[in-house]
């Protein structure tokens, strides 16, 4: 399944995004080297320097158009980079033509250097943003952590409202996780967490974003059309794990979760929605485990088939 630009990224995606950004930046340094060479040694400049749309012809523009590892929340950073990139090309073209006509002035040089510094400054800000974003991901499972959940929440809720969709929250806890650690050891417990996270990512759809909330607890934010779709999603996700055993020390181990699912209302906080889902989840824990329980605003609960 092709990943949307605003779908939750994992650490591998973020590392790739940082590498691709560095590669694109390196390509632009090579472009600047070409400009310096022509200014010192002469020669005929090519279209990457003199064309009115040179900013669309260089290798850096390829990254701007085709980068897939980009969050919608980060679009402002990329817009600033794109704008500064065009200005820098415009200033470079002015400078190159002046060099060719032997009419370079201190003002032209200052304008070019200022445009170059602003361009590099916006790249540095975006890189810093990606590094901060990466630190909000769990190194064990690769999933985003609760800090990112709180950061994403308002953005996703607003999108649901704009798209006339409902936002639901599904909270899940691995059943009898302590007994897994006691029986198989903590290394096996880490393997289970990694495998559970990978299984959730496999079964999650484009409108389902998963986070590691802490310990053996996970949260999904579901963008759905209504209650029926939310119920089906909760049942599918919780059931999917039980039907896909995890291999631990060459043994197939059936791991289950108990989930609590609730609709997020437009006037409530994420903390309130989590508290309600947590209540439903522990109701399921105390009544058999390996199930998903829906809870309404009034506290009414329903076990989902």
């Amino acid at each position: 399944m092709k990943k949307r630009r605003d779908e939750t990224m994992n650490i591998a995606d973020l590392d790739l995004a940082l590498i691709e950004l560095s590669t694109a930046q390196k390509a632009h340094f090579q472009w600047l080297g070409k400009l310096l060479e022509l200014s010192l040694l002469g020669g005929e400049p090519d279209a990457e320097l003199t064309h009115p749309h040179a900013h669309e012809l260089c290798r850096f523009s390829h990254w701007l158009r085709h980068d897939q590892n980009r969050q919608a929340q980060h679009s402002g950073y990329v817009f600033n980079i794109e704008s500064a990139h065009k200005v820098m090309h415009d200033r470079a073209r002015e400078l190159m033509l002046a060099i060719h006509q032997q009419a370079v002035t201190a003002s032209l040089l200052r304008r070019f250097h200022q445009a170059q510094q602003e361009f590099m400054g916006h790249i540095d800000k975006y890189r810093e943003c990606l590094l901060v974003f990466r630190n909000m991901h769990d190194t064990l499972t690769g999933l985003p952590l609760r800090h990112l959940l709180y950061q994403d929440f308002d953005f996703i809720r607003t999108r649901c409202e704009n798209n006339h969709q409902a936002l639901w929250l599904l909270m899940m806890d691995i059943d009898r996780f302590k007994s897994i650690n006691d029986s198989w050891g903590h290394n096996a417990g880490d393997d289970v967490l990694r495998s559970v996270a990978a299984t959730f990512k496999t079964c999650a759809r484009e409108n389902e974003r998963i986070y590691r909330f802490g310990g053996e607890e996970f949260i999904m934010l579901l963008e759905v059309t209504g209650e029926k779709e939310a119920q089906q999603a909760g049942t599918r996700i919780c059931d999917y794990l039980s039907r896909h055993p995890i291999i631990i020390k060459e043994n197939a181990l059936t791991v289950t979760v108990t989930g609590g699912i609730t609709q997020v209302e437009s006037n409530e906080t994420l903390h309130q929605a989590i508290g309600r889902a947590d209540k439903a989840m522990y109701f399921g824990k105390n009544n058999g485990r390996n199930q998903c329980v829906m809870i309404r605003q009034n506290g009414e609960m329903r076990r989902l088939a």
Side-chain angles (χ1 to χ4, degrees):
M1 181 182 295
K2 186 176 180 180
K3 179 166 65 61
R4 298 185 316 187
R5 285 196 173 190
D6 60 342
E7 185 181 347
T8 302
M9 298 167 71
N10 56 36
I11 287 180
D13 292 329
L14 288 164
D15 286 340
L16 181 59
L18 286 163
I19 290 171
E20 289 176 344
L21 177 60
S22 295
T23 301
Q25 187 175 7
K26 182 179 178 182
H28 228 279
F29 279 127
Q30 293 171 346
W31 173 86
L32 289 171
K34 184 191 298 185
L35 175 62
L36 180 62
E37 180 181 334
L38 287 170
S39 66
L40 294 175
L41 302 178
E44 289 297 323
D46 58 26
E48 281 194 13
L49 291 172
T50 60
H51 195 281
H53 297 286
H55 62 285
E56 298 175 355
L57 302 176
C58 71
R59 288 173 60 190
F60 189 85
S61 69
H62 180 82
W63 172 79
L64 283 170
R65 292 194 305 269
H66 299 289
D67 174 40
Q68 296 298 314
N69 293 305
R70 189 179 299 164
Q71 292 285 101
Q73 296 96 316
H74 299 162
S75 59
Y77 290 96
V78 179
F79 175 80
N80 289 337
I81 291 174
E82 188 171 13
S83 299
H85 177 243
K86 182 182 184 305
V87 171
M88 192 185 69
H89 268 279
D90 291 342
R91 299 295 174 262
R93 182 172 61 256
E94 292 174 355
L95 182 60
M96 196 66 246
L97 291 174
I99 290 171
H100 190 67
Q101 297 168 5
Q102 297 184 342
V104 177
T105 65
S107 175
L108 282 174
L109 280 172
R110 281 196 302 270
R111 281 158 61 88
F112 171 71
H113 285 308
Q114 181 180 356
Q116 181 184 2
Q117 289 171 0
E118 289 181 0
F119 172 63
M120 300 306 297
H122 286 303
I123 289 178
D124 288 341
K125 287 178 182 178
Y126 183 45
R127 180 182 288 106
E128 182 181 352
C129 171
L130 287 176
L131 289 169
V132 170
F133 193 61
R134 189 189 188 282
N135 289 335
M136 292 183 180
H137 286 68
D138 178 32
T139 55
L140 178 65
T141 64
L143 293 177
L145 293 165
R146 68 165 66 192
H147 301 294
L148 196 51
L149 167 64
Y150 278 87
Q151 182 175 298
D152 289 346
F153 178 69
D154 287 333
F155 175 83
I156 296 173
R157 178 161 59 181
T158 299
R159 182 171 63 194
C160 282
E161 292 171 353
N162 292 339
N163 294 336
H164 305 290
Q165 290 184 307
L167 178 60
W168 285 65
L169 185 145
L170 171 62
M171 188 170 192
M172 296 170 288
D173 184 90
I174 298 175
D175 294 328
R176 299 185 174 89
F177 185 72
K178 184 177 183 302
S179 67
I180 295 174
N181 280 327
D182 292 342
S183 300
W184 299 88
H186 288 281
N187 287 339
D190 286 347
D191 291 340
V192 167
L193 287 169
R194 274 192 293 265
S195 296
V196 168
T199 302
F200 282 151
K201 285 189 283 188
T202 298
C203 75
R205 297 176 179 174
E206 281 191 350
N207 61 336
E208 299 165 355
R209 300 165 67 99
I210 183 167
Y211 304 80
R212 185 180 179 191
F213 193 64
E216 60 270 25
E217 290 183 331
F218 300 85
I219 281 181
M220 272 193 179
L221 295 180
L222 314 175
E223 301 171 60
V224 296
T225 56
E227 182 175 297
K228 182 177 180 181
E229 185 182 349
Q231 291 178 2
Q232 292 172 341
T235 302
R236 168 177 50 81
I237 293 163
C238 293
D239 185 56
Y240 188 89
L241 181 64
S242 66
R243 292 187 288 105
H244 291 79
I246 293 170
I247 304 302
I248 300 295
K249 298 179 181 180
E250 300 182 354
N251 294 282
L253 181 66
T254 298
V255 178
T256 64
V257 293
T258 299
I261 188 169
T262 190
Q263 182 174 358
V264 180
E265 300 298 329
S266 60
N267 60 347
E268 71 176 340
T269 65
L270 175 61
H271 182 74
Q272 289 172 318
I274 289 174
R276 196 164 57 252
D278 183 70
K279 187 183 225 181
M281 183 181 73
Y282 276 96
F283 175 85
K285 287 278 188 185
N286 294 326
N287 289 274
R289 298 185 176 89
N290 188 22
Q291 59 185 301
C292 186
V293 178
M294 183 187 76
I295 183 170
R296 301 185 189 278
Q297 280 280 331
N298 61 7
E300 176 191 346
M301 297 192 200
R302 176 185 169 190
R303 297 184 195 181
L304 303 180

